[in-house]
Amino acid sequence: MKGTLHMKPTSPIRKEKLKHGIFITFEGVEGAGKTTQVQRLAAALGPDVVLTREPGGTPIAERIRHIFLTSDGITTMTELLLLAAARAQHVNELIRPALAANKIVICDRFIDATVAYQGYRGGIDLALIHQLNRVVTGGLTPDLTFILDLPPEIGLQRKQRGETHRDRLEREPLDRHRKVRKGYLSAAKADPDRVKLIDAAQSADTVHTAILTEYHKYLSQ
Ligand code: Z5A
């Protein structure tokens, strides 16, 4: 796949896009294959890529991630505020400078995760989430988002196959995971230009090909 995409840098369209960097995010329920696909896309796109994740991506934001993932009894509002703090640090310290340096930033989860998890799953007002996101990102939104869509029970099975430890969110009832999926499906419907829904029940190779196809479509717009 590497070779295929390396044909692109000479394209005037791609050069134009790279003047501003490209911000790509991956989303989906647990075990949907985000980490797998983020790594495959990064390998295909080559040295211009900066790979990162949320919550996390910088030393301070990674410390917040640890609190977020390990604190049993945390309220959804506290989750939201921790995520917002981590995002403010991440956007300012890593994402914006990388985009200014014309990099392709690929981020494993971003603002759509907050809508899906803290909004649809957690019941926090969506308008508040959007407003907070605007404040902490300074209005930065991804150029392209891939939602890897999968029934949550399949994602959880995939994860549990290789793991003995289940984190706080993975242990939640299936109903909460279904709400997350519903949130992601709504995001895809609301913003089809930015958000591309990918059937993540397919093989990892097929999913990767679908992602590359959408990426090329984006470049040629
Ligand atoms: N969170 C939030 O609540 N609000 C927010 O705003 C943000 C985040 C930003 C981060 O956890 C948690 O933070 C997350 C939401 C919350 N909830 N949890 N838990 P994380 O980063 O540690 O975990 P994750 O984001 O859910 O990723 P994951 O669980 O590691 O799954 P994944 O990255 O989507 O999947 P994977 O690791 O690539 O694959 C899982 C397994 O499936 C693995 O064995 C693969 O080999 C296999 N796999 C991958 N693709 C396939 C296909 N196509 N077929 C079959 N098997 C596959």
Side-chain angles (χ1 to χ4, degrees):
M1 276 306 158
K2 268 186 178 170
T4 322
L5 276 163
H6 279 282
M7 288 164 67
K8 279 275 170 183
T10 50
S11 141
I13 297 163
R14 183 161 194 270
K15 271 188 185 162
E16 182 58 32
K17 300 253 185 201
L18 283 183
K19 271 188 198 165
H20 313 286
I22 302 176
F23 185 25
I24 302 172
T25 57
F26 278 74
E27 302 279 2
V29 296
E30 272 110 283
K34 295 175 302 300
T35 308
T36 305
Q37 295 301 330
V38 156
Q39 285 168 357
R40 291 191 69 163
L41 184 63
L45 299 189
D48 285 333
V49 168
V50 173
L51 250 188
T52 188
R53 68 173 180 184
E54 286 217 347
T58 72
I60 291 170
E62 288 290 333
R63 285 165 68 184
I64 297 172
R65 176 188 174 92
H66 180 73
I67 298 169
F68 173 86
L69 284 177
T70 58
S71 302
D72 286 328
I74 192 170
T75 71
T76 311
M77 184 54 78
T78 308
E79 284 185 359
L80 175 67
L81 297 173
L82 284 174
L83 290 160
R87 185 162 299 147
Q89 191 68 32
H90 188 210
V91 167
N92 282 289
E93 192 181 332
L94 189 143
I95 298 177
R96 280 194 183 278
L99 292 173
N102 303 331
K103 300 291 182 187
I104 302 169
V105 177
I106 302 180
C107 188
D108 191 339
R109 296 195 187 278
F110 195 61
I111 53 178
D112 298 296
T114 317
V115 171
Y117 280 84
Q118 283 62 52
Y120 279 79
R121 153 188 160 274
I124 293 188
D125 178 47
L126 297 182
L128 171 66
I129 292 176
H130 287 301
Q131 194 181 357
L132 190 58
N133 273 332
R134 271 195 299 276
V135 171
V136 299
T137 63
L140 179 73
T141 49
D143 298 301
L144 187 59
T145 295
F146 296 108
I147 292 180
L148 305 188
D149 180 49
L150 191 70
E153 49 270 45
I154 299 180
L156 292 168
Q157 276 166 16
R158 281 183 184 173
K159 280 204 77 173
Q160 283 154 21
R161 223 171 279 145
E163 284 180 12
T164 47
H165 171 76
R166 294 162 73 209
D167 71 33
R168 173 177 82 73
L169 282 93
E170 277 175 66
R171 293 194 304 267
E172 290 189 349
L174 196 53
D175 181 50
R176 304 262 287 177
H177 295 280
R178 291 198 174 118
K179 287 180 179 166
V180 171
R181 186 187 189 198
K182 191 173 167 206
Y184 278 132
L185 292 175
S186 303
K189 205 169 170 190
D191 194 354
D193 287 345
R194 170 179 68 88
V195 181
K196 306 301 169 192
L197 201 62
I198 306 285
D199 177 4
Q202 308 173 99
S203 73
D205 282 348
T206 307
V207 173
H208 178 60
T209 304
I211 288 167
L212 284 182
T213 302
E214 290 295 345
Y215 178 74
H216 283 297
K217 273 193 213 161
Y218 166 78
L219 289 183
S220 62
Q221 276 166 14

